[in-house]
Amino acid sequence: MTATKRPTDKPKRSAGRLLLLIVWTTVKILFIPVLCVAALIAGLAIGYVVLGKQQWSDVFDWNTWRHMYDLVFASGD
């Protein structure tokens, strides 16, 4: 009985397939953080409009969020 020889070197991947693998891995890694940031922005916007009864256009104004930050973290002198 003789042993059959198996090829030891793996077949090389093409450049396109390797690029696809890199892109897919990057998408998998970044999916959850991007989803969390999107949920945070949506929650802030819905809370501001529904609970705060403010205008939708004010949600995207930087001064609105600066004012809220100042209210929350104001020193109580």
Side-chain angles (χ1 to χ4, degrees):
M1 206 178 225
T2 60
T4 59
K5 293 188 176 190
R6 293 184 185 171
T8 57
D9 47 313
K10 294 181 181 179
K12 295 184 179 182
R13 293 182 179 165
S14 67
R17 189 157 174 88
L18 184 62
L19 181 64
L20 182 66
L21 181 65
I22 291 170
V23 169
W24 179 245
T25 303
T26 304
V27 167
K28 287 194 300 187
I29 290 172
L30 293 178
F31 180 71
I32 296 298
V34 168
L35 194 63
C36 288
V37 169
L40 176 68
I41 292 171
L44 287 172
I46 291 171
Y48 186 76
V49 172
V50 175
L51 297 176
K53 295 183 173 82
Q54 300 295 322
Q55 293 181 8
W56 182 256
S57 61
D58 289 341
V59 169
F60 302 107
D61 186 22
W62 178 254
N63 292 326
T64 300
W65 298 107
R66 167 115 15 202
H67 179 67
M68 282 193 187
Y69 179 84
D70 291 341
L71 287 174
V72 170
F73 294 106
S75 62
D77 294 18

